[in-house]
Coordinates of all heavy atoms in Angstrom, one line a residue:
N278 N -25.5 0.1 8.1 CA -25.6 0.0 9.5 C -25.5 -1.5 9.9 O -25.7 -2.4 9.2 CB -26.9 0.5 10.0 CG -27.0 0.5 11.5 OD1 -26.0 0.7 12.2 ND2 -28.2 0.4 12.0
A279 N -25.0 -1.6 11.2 CA -25.0 -3.0 11.8 C -26.5 -3.5 11.9 O -27.4 -2.7 11.8 CB -24.3 -2.9 13.2
P280 N -26.7 -4.8 12.1 CA -28.1 -5.3 12.3 C -28.7 -4.9 13.6 O -29.3 -5.8 14.2 CB -27.9 -6.8 12.1 CG -26.5 -7.0 12.6 CD -25.7 -5.8 12.2
V281 N -28.6 -3.7 14.0 CA -29.2 -3.2 15.2 C -29.7 -1.7 15.0 O -29.2 -1.1 14.1 CB -28.3 -3.3 16.4 CG1 -27.9 -4.7 16.8 CG2 -27.0 -2.4 16.2
Q282 N -30.6 -1.3 15.9 CA -30.9 0.2 15.8 C -29.6 0.9 16.2 O -28.9 0.6 17.1 CB -32.0 0.5 16.8 CG -33.4 0.0 16.4 CD -33.9 0.8 15.2 OE1 -34.5 0.2 14.3 NE2 -33.7 2.1 15.3
N283 N -29.4 2.0 15.5 CA -28.1 2.7 15.7 C -28.2 4.2 15.4 O -29.2 4.6 14.7 CB -27.0 2.1 14.8 CG -25.6 2.2 15.3 OD1 -25.4 3.0 16.3 ND2 -24.7 1.5 14.8
R284 N -27.3 4.9 16.0 CA -27.2 6.4 15.7 C -25.8 6.6 15.4 O -24.8 6.3 16.1 CB -27.6 7.2 16.9 CG -27.6 8.7 16.7 CD -28.3 9.4 17.8 NE -27.8 9.1 19.1 CZ -26.8 9.8 19.7 NH1 -26.2 10.8 19.0 NH2 -26.3 9.5 20.9
K297 N -30.0 8.5 12.2 CA -30.7 7.4 12.9 C -31.0 6.3 12.0 O -31.8 6.5 11.0 CB -31.9 8.0 13.6 CG -31.6 9.0 14.6 CD -32.9 9.5 15.3 CE -32.6 10.5 16.4 NZ -33.9 11.0 17.1
L298 N -30.3 5.2 12.2 CA -30.4 4.1 11.2 C -31.1 2.9 11.7 O -30.8 2.5 12.9 CB -29.0 3.7 10.7 CG -28.1 4.8 10.1 CD1 -26.7 4.3 9.8 CD2 -28.8 5.4 8.9
A299 N -31.9 2.3 10.9 CA -32.5 1.0 11.2 C -31.5 -0.1 11.0 O -30.5 0.1 10.3 CB -33.8 0.8 10.4
P300 N -31.8 -1.3 11.5 CA -30.9 -2.4 11.3 C -30.6 -2.7 9.8 O -31.6 -2.8 9.0 CB -31.6 -3.6 11.9 CG -32.5 -3.0 13.0 CD -32.9 -1.7 12.4
G301 N -29.4 -2.7 9.4 CA -29.0 -2.9 8.0 C -29.3 -1.8 7.1 O -29.0 -1.9 5.9
E302 N -29.7 -0.7 7.6 CA -30.1 0.4 6.7 C -28.8 1.0 6.0 O -27.8 1.1 6.6 CB -30.8 1.5 7.4 CG -31.3 2.7 6.6 CD -32.0 3.8 7.3 OE1 -32.3 3.5 8.5 OE2 -32.3 4.8 6.8
V324 N -23.0 4.8 17.8 CA -23.4 4.7 19.2 C -23.6 3.2 19.6 O -23.2 2.9 20.8 CB -24.7 5.5 19.4 CG1 -25.2 5.3 20.9 CG2 -24.5 7.0 19.2
S325 N -24.1 2.4 18.7 CA -24.3 1.0 19.1 C -23.5 0.1 18.1 O -22.8 0.6 17.3 CB -25.8 0.7 19.0 OG -26.1 -0.6 19.5
G326 N -23.8 -1.2 18.3 CA -23.1 -2.2 17.4 C -23.4 -3.6 17.7 O -24.4 -3.9 18.4

Side-chain angles (χ1 to χ4, degrees):
N278 185 30
V281 295
Q282 288 290 138
N283 208 346
R284 181 167 59 88
K297 294 183 179 180
L298 302 177
E302 182 178 352
V324 175
S325 186

